[in-house]
């Protein structure tokens, strides 16, 4: 029986306000609240809420046979809670159906997996905890930022407890192989790799509303026919979409919601079932191992990480950001740590891309800046102020190892003081308990003396 897996990504960055050089050291708030509110509120009405309602309708009308997964960043969750709380309620309804799996991802939709394993682990852990807190489920499959993956990352994913990872079915990696199989990671055989079918995903995300496309218009019947016609031995087709595709990039008047609603009916007619990533990892065996020497992603034509680290501007910003990673992790300042995560968001680096033609147009379409150079300057100003704040707590003149040693000593001394205070408190309680009975024994003696005095007076009389 053929299987198809729909996987939706939800993410919104904390966009920066215009932050000037003269603001460094004077203004420690970096975010454009008005723009963030405007974008997520508008998309909430146009895309997020209608999409969630559509998915719920598909599940209910198919009696639970339609299944899918959702990957949502922590920054998107925070903005939903602040500006579109009804979206959290809509996601809870989807979670309650048992037909929607929530995937693990980085809290800040960051590039931490390319720079800092400890930071990557921490962000995924916090995002998983937030998902469990809100929806009562624990993610079992990883969907890293923009499907980024390589051999070096695989052992860490296994060590974090995940059995499978969703990533890009990049042609330069697969060669003659098909993405419609389950593979195992060459560097960690226990990890199963679920690969995005690039063509069938883009048929919806990119070509659905293209009147010049030879297959236009795309119908649910036609789409499911293509999946049914894939070779019998191919196991599963993974479709990965940004949920903004539904109602955002493809407005409602394109018919995208009607197309989605019709998919379960035509899938059933052609013997195609819907599976979540966890079900795929559990049911299907890997047919071969797959080696990915250099990082791949789902972005741009090259399907590498050049969308975020493809020029000198991006690499300079990236290097400077993660140069203070160890210091930020050592601090206890919640505001500083929150800014640290917001500044790691991959979108900031995406806006700095200087690519041309099709890829460049895609980058500029999502950027709030006029040019990549303006994006770089604005980000570096905010980052410079952030680093000044970090240095105020932990001077950069002190090496990380020396700083770590000093902080360890301070924390050990704090624990010793805390232990001594507890012992002192316990001793005080013991003294109080010891003195209490003694006072009770002495107290009755006073009335006895008074009685003897009265007796002496009576005797004189």
């Amino acid at each position: 029986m053929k299987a198809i897996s729909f996987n939706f990504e939800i993410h919104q960055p904390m966009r920066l306000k215009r932050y000037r050089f003269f603001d460094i050291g004077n203004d420690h708030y970096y975010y454009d609240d008005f723009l963030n509110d405007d974008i997520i509120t508008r998309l909430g009405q146009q895309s997020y809420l209608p999409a969630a309602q559509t998915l719920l309708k598909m599940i209910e009308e198919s009696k639970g046979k339609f299944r899918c997964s959702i990957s949502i960043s922590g920054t998107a969750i925070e903005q939903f809670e602040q500006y579109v709380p009804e979206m959290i309620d809509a996601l809870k309804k989807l979670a309650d159906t048992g037909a929607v799996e929530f995937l693990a991802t980085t809290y800040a939709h960051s590039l931490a997996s390319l720079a800092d394993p400890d930071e990557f682990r921490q962000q995924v852990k916090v995002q998983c905890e937030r998902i469990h807190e809100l929806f009562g489920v624990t993610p079992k499959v990883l969907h890293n930022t923009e499907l980024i993956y390589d051999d070096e990352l695989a052992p860490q994913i296994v060590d974090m407890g995940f059995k499978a990872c969703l990533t890009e079915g990049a042609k330069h990696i697969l060669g003659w192989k098909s993405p419609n199989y389950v593979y195992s990671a060459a560097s960690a055989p226990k990890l199963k790799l679920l690969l995005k079918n690039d063509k069938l995903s883009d048929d919806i995300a990119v070509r659905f509303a293209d009147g010049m496309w030879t297959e236009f218009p795309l119908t649910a019947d036609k789409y499911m026919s293509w999946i049914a016609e894939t070779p019998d031995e191919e196991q599963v087709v993974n479709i990965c979409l940004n949920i903004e595709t539904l109602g955002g990039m493809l407005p409602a008047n394109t018919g995208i919601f009607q197309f989605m609603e019709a998919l379960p009916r035509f899938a059933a007619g052609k013997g195609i079932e819907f599976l979540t990533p966890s079900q795929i990892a559990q049911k299907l065996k890997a047919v071969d191992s797959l080696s990915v020497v250099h990082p791949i992603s789902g972005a741009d034509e090259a399907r590498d990480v050049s969308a975020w680290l493809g020029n000198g501007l991006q690499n300079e910003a990236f290097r400077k950001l993660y140069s203070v990673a160890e210091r930020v992790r050592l601090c206890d300042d919640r505001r500083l740590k929150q800014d640290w995560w917001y500044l790691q968001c991959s979108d900031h680096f995406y806006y700095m891309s200087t690519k041309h033609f099709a890829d460049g147009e895609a980058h500029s379409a999502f950027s709030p800046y006029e040019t990549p150079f303006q994006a770089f300057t604005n980000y570096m100003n905010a980052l410079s102020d952030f680093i000044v704040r970090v240095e105020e707590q932990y001077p950069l003149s002190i090496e990380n190892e020396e700083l770590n040693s000093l902080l360890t000593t301070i924390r050990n001394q704090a624990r010793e003081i805390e232990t001594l205070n507890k012992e002192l408190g316990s001793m005080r309680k013991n003294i109080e308990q010891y003195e209490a009975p003694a006072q009770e024994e002495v107290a009755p003696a006073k009335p006895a003396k008074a009685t003897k005095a009265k007796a002496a007076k009576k005797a004189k009389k």
Side-chain angles (χ1 to χ4, degrees), residues 118-387:
D118 291 336
E119 180 65 24
F120 173 67
R121 179 187 292 271
Q122 178 65 14
Q123 284 197 30
V124 172
K125 178 177 179 290
V126 173
Q127 188 264 354
C128 289
E129 290 172 349
R130 197 76 177 92
I131 292 296
H132 186 269
E133 176 188 346
L134 287 173
F135 310 121
V137 295
T138 300
K140 299 177 182 178
V141 174
L142 179 71
H143 177 289
N144 192 19
T145 303
E146 300 293 343
L147 301 177
I148 292 173
Y149 171 82
D150 65 3
D151 287 342
E152 189 175 343
L153 189 60
Q156 186 177 0
I157 297 173
V158 173
D159 187 56
M160 291 164 68
F162 298 109
K163 305 297 183 184
C165 176
L166 193 63
T167 187
E168 177 68 27
K171 294 178 182 178
H172 67 279
I173 297 297
L174 286 171
W176 56 269
K177 298 177 181 177
S178 167
N180 302 336
Y181 290 99
V182 175
Y183 294 89
S184 64
S187 57
K190 291 183 179 180
L191 182 68
K192 290 184 176 179
L193 300 178
L194 315 182
L195 307 182
K196 168 187 170 184
N197 185 304
D198 190 59
K199 179 191 178 301
L200 288 171
S201 296
D202 283 354
D203 283 343
I204 298 176
V206 178
R207 292 178 281 273
F208 182 84
D210 183 2
M212 300 299 291
W213 184 31
T214 55
E215 298 293 344
F216 182 85
L218 180 61
T219 64
D221 184 18
K222 183 189 296 185
Y223 193 74
M224 284 301 168
S225 295
W226 291 344
I227 294 173
E229 291 167 1
T230 56
D232 294 338
E233 63 274 13
E234 293 190 359
Q235 301 168 306
V236 62
V237 176
N238 295 301
I239 305 300
C240 298
L241 301 171
N242 188 319
I243 206 165
E244 292 175 33
T245 300
L246 312 182
M249 289 175 276
L250 294 175
N253 60 17
T254 62
I256 185 61
F257 291 112
Q258 292 81 357
F259 168 81
M260 291 297 298
E261 290 173 8
L263 289 176
R265 184 170 72 255
F266 286 102
K270 299 181 187 302
I272 299 172
E273 65 176 332
F274 293 91
L275 297 177
T276 63
S278 285
Q279 289 177 321
I280 295 170
Q282 184 177 5
K283 288 185 176 183
L284 302 179
K285 294 182 179 181
V287 297
D288 196 3
S289 64
L290 197 66
S291 178
V292 182
V293 178
H294 302 290
I296 58 173
S297 78
D300 293 350
E301 186 75 21
R303 297 296 191 259
D304 56 14
V305 295
S306 60
W308 308 277
L309 300 174
N311 63 42
L313 302 178
Q314 295 167 314
N315 281 282
E316 172 60 19
F318 189 72
R319 182 199 60 77
K320 191 170 183 179
L321 173 67
Y322 283 99
S323 68
V324 296
E326 186 67 26
R327 283 168 164 71
V328 178
R329 275 197 295 275
L330 292 171
C331 81
D332 296 319
D333 188 328
R334 292 181 62 186
R335 176 69 183 278
L336 202 65
K337 287 193 171 184
Q338 184 183 58
D339 290 336
W340 164 242
W341 279 2
Y342 292 170
L343 289 172
Q344 286 186 69
C345 185
S346 64
D347 301 63
H348 301 311
F349 300 92
Y350 191 81
Y351 303 149
M352 299 177 201
S353 175
T354 52
K355 288 188 174 184
H356 299 290
F357 306 114
D359 288 344
E361 291 175 6
H363 287 252
S364 62
F366 293 100
S367 177
Y369 303 97
E370 293 179 4
T371 68
F373 306 100
Q374 188 183 86
F376 172 75
T377 302
N378 201 65
Y379 180 81
M380 293 302 283
N381 285 341
L383 181 59
S384 296
D385 181 81
F386 174 77
I387 292 176

Side-chain angles (χ1 to χ4, degrees), residues 391-452:
E391 189 171 5
E392 285 175 355
Q393 294 200 28
Y394 306 115
L396 297 181
S397 58
I398 303 176
E399 294 294 331
N400 283 338
E401 291 184 4
E402 182 183 356
L403 178 61
N404 198 19
S405 177
L406 289 172
L407 290 173
T408 300
T409 302
I410 292 170
R411 287 167 182 165
N412 289 339
Q413 290 175 345
R415 291 192 190 99
E416 289 178 11
I417 292 171
E418 185 179 356
T419 301
L420 290 172
N421 284 333
K422 287 181 180 179
E423 291 178 358
L424 181 60
S426 178
M427 291 175 65
R428 283 175 177 168
K429 287 182 180 179
N430 291 336
I431 292 172
E432 290 172 359
Q433 291 174 358
Y434 176 78
E435 290 178 344
Q439 290 175 353
E440 290 176 1
E441 291 176 4
V442 173
K446 293 181 180 178
K449 291 180 180 178
T451 302
K452 289 180 180 180

Side-chain angles (χ1 to χ4, degrees), residues 39-59:
I39 290 176
I40 201 163
T41 301
R42 174 168 46 81
L43 285 174
Q45 299 305 315
Q46 293 179 354
S47 174
Y48 295 136
L49 289 170
Q53 292 163 1
T54 297
L55 295 178
L56 183 62
K57 184 178 180 180
M58 293 166 70
I59 293 168

Side-chain angles (χ1 to χ4, degrees), residues 68-97:
C68 66
S69 74
I70 293 176
S71 165
I72 178 169
S73 68
T75 54
I77 290 174
E78 288 186 24
Q79 291 186 68
F80 283 143
E81 289 178 322
Q82 186 172 0
Y83 303 118
V84 195
E86 56 268 39
M87 184 60 185
I88 298 293
D89 295 332
L91 290 171
K92 287 181 179 178
K93 288 181 181 178
L94 289 173
D96 290 342
T97 65

